[in-house]
């Protein structure tokens, strides 16, 4: 290897180690707020979104198209992506559904799907459904020898099986501590919450939609960033 190649490899390694990672809570069709939150991030950076890209907000189409145009962002599959797929007779291949599960499109529409349909002009394009069906169910990040586990919902306790739906995207109970990770990061639960036991903090819900904020956590500093919802979105 030449000296120049060595210098370039070292420089790339240093840049990756110093680059911050931002994990973003449930996006909920709020494209304008997402852009304003992203503008707060130090560049360059890595961005991981915990899912629920669609529904509730009025700009699901703009948000999905933006994320599809940026494959460098990690976007995790959420329960609202699942509802959208189910309403169209499709399912995420990595989820286990009960044998007698029957999707009800009205469930999706009542949970914010009406806003999503309206933003797309009444029909969800096939390529959007395919994009959603191929999103990862979780993501791991390692920074300074610390590992972070990122998912849409808290990792479910195997002793509390949820028989109606795939619990790994619907679970609302607190996750179990996993010593493999410095922190488990998730959304879904509507209220920001740090989870701790006698050994300290081991998980955090970064979804703060109850307070009408789009939020993100910066790694490794654990700094929380907020962007208030816009009244008309």
């Amino acid at each position: 290897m030449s000296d120049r190649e060595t210098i370039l490899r070292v420089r790339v390694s240093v840049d990756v180690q110093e680059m911050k990672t931002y994990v973003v809570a449930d996006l909920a069709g709020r494209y304008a707020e997402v852009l304003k939150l992203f503008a707060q991030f130090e560049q360059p950076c890595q961005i991981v979104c915990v899912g629920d890209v669609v529904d509730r907000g009025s700009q699901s189409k703009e948000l999905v198209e933006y994320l599809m145009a940026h494959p460098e962002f990690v976007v995790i599959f959420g329960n609202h992506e699942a509802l959208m797929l189910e309403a169209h007779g499709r399912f995420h291949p990595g989820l286990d559904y009960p044998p007698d599960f029957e999707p009800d499109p009205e469930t999706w529409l009542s949970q914010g799907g009406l806003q999503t349909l309206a933003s797309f002009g009444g029909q969800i394009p096939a390529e959007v459904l395919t994009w959603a069906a191929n999103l990862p169910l979780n993501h791991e990040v390692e920074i300074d020898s610390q590992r972070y586990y990122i998912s849409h919902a808290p990792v479910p306790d195997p002793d509390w099986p949820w028989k109606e739906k795939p619990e790994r995207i619907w679970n609302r109970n607190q996750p179990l501590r996993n010593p493999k990770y410095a922190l488990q990061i998730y959304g879904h639960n509507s209220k920001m919450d740090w989870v701790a036991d006698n050994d300290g903090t081991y998980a955090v819900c970064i979804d703060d939609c109850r307070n009408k904020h789009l939020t993100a956590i910066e790694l490794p500093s654990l700094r929380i960033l907020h962007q208030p919802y816009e009244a008309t979105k």
Side-chain angles (χ1 to χ4, degrees), residues 52-134:
D52 279 5
V53 174
V54 299
D55 298 348
R56 303 197 188 283
S58 64
Q59 296 179 304
S60 288
K61 177 180 183 290
E62 293 88 341
L63 184 52
V64 167
E65 290 176 347
Y66 175 71
L67 295 174
M68 290 177 69
H70 288 275
E72 70 273 19
F73 300 160
V74 176
V75 182
I76 293 172
F77 188 80
N79 62 294
H80 280 269
E81 282 73 60
L83 289 171
M84 180 177 68
L85 288 179
E86 292 161 11
H88 291 83
R90 299 182 63 170
F91 304 90
H92 193 288
L95 293 176
D96 295 323
Y97 283 83
D100 57 349
F101 179 79
E102 294 184 4
D104 179 9
E106 290 300 320
T107 300
W108 175 54
L109 296 176
S110 68
Q111 297 290 322
L114 277 174
Q115 293 93 316
T116 300
L117 265 183
S119 74
F120 279 99
Q123 184 174 359
I124 309 298
E127 59 268 24
V128 170
L129 298 175
T130 298
W131 172 80
N134 285 283

Side-chain angles (χ1 to χ4, degrees), residues 14 20 23 38 41 45 63 68 73 79 81 95 117 126-127 143 148 153-154 157 164 169 175 177 192 211:
V14 170
K20 289 182 171 61
V23 184
F38 283 14
F41 299 168
C45 67
L63 184 52
M68 290 177 69
F73 300 160
N79 62 294
E81 282 73 60
L95 293 176
L117 265 183
E127 59 268 24
I143 304 172
Y148 302 87
D157 184 336
E164 293 82 11
I169 59 168
R177 174 183 283 277
M192 187 154 184
N211 290 317

Side-chain angles (χ1 to χ4, degrees), residues 129-156:
L129 298 175
T130 298
W131 172 80
N134 285 283
L135 296 176
L137 293 169
N138 60 269
H139 185 69
E140 296 186 20
V141 174
E142 184 169 342
I143 304 172
D144 297 333
S145 301
Q146 299 287 310
R147 300 183 71 177
Y148 302 87
Y149 184 90
I150 306 166
S151 57
H152 175 65
V155 176

